[in-house]
């Protein structure tokens, strides 16, 4: 393959002019906007765009519905967790109160036993 290009400036200019002329001819050959075929194509494009917009609106509606549903589920889950935590804390408080009452009863029993032992010791001395 030769690196030398045998084409000259006139050939390049002629090719450029013919390419421009072909583009101009292609543009002129295009039918007018009021042509029935062009109107049908425009109508078809409009229908496709309308369908695309409807699908986009439907996707957005579904996305918003999913977000709303997820937020509602999260709120319900948090409420359930809070209720469970409150129930645990109440159970712990009840168990603590019962344990303290049992300890107090045991201390009272021990104190009463010491008191009774002292009284018994005093009766024995008499």
């Amino acid at each position: 393959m030769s690196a030398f290009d045998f084409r000259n400036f006139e050939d390049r200019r002629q090719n450029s002019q013919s390419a421009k002329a072909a583009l101009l001819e292609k543009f002129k050959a295009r039918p007018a906007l009021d042509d029935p075929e062009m109107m049908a194509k425009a109508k078809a494009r409009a229908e496709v765009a309308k369908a695309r917009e409807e699908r986009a609106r439907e996707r957005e509606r579904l996305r918003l519905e999913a977000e709303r549903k997820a937020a509602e589920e999260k709120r319900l889950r948090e409420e359930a967790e809070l209720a469970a935590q409150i129930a645990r804390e109440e159970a712990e408080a009840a168990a603590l109160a019962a344990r303290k009452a049992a300890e107090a009863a045991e201390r009272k029993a021990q104190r009463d036993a010491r008191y009774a032992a002292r009284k018994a010791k005093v009766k024995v001395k008499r």
Side-chain angles (χ1 to χ4, degrees), residues 91-107:
E92 289 173 2
L96 179 64
R99 190 175 68 237
K100 284 188 177 187
E103 289 173 357
E106 184 179 338
R107 283 193 306 269

Side-chain angles (χ1 to χ4, degrees), residues 17-27:
Q17 276 184 344
S18 63
K20 287 178 185 176
L23 281 175
L24 183 62
E25 192 62 37
K26 181 180 175 185
F27 179 74

Side-chain angles (χ1 to χ4, degrees), residues 59-90:
R59 280 193 305 270
E60 182 68 15
R61 186 189 65 75
L62 291 174
R63 183 185 64 79
L64 291 174
E65 181 69 22
E67 286 178 359
R68 187 198 58 75
K69 187 177 180 182
E72 181 69 18
E73 288 174 356
K74 181 181 178 184
R75 184 186 63 79
L76 291 174
R77 188 173 48 249
E78 287 174 352
E79 286 178 0
E81 289 173 359
L82 182 60
Q85 182 181 359
I86 290 171
R88 277 194 309 271
E89 289 174 356
E90 288 175 351

Side-chain angles (χ1 to χ4, degrees), residues 28-47:
K28 286 181 179 178
R30 193 176 78 181
L33 292 177
D34 61 350
D35 184 43
E37 183 180 331
M38 292 299 285
M39 291 174 68
K41 286 181 181 179
K43 184 178 178 182
R45 281 193 301 271
E47 289 174 359

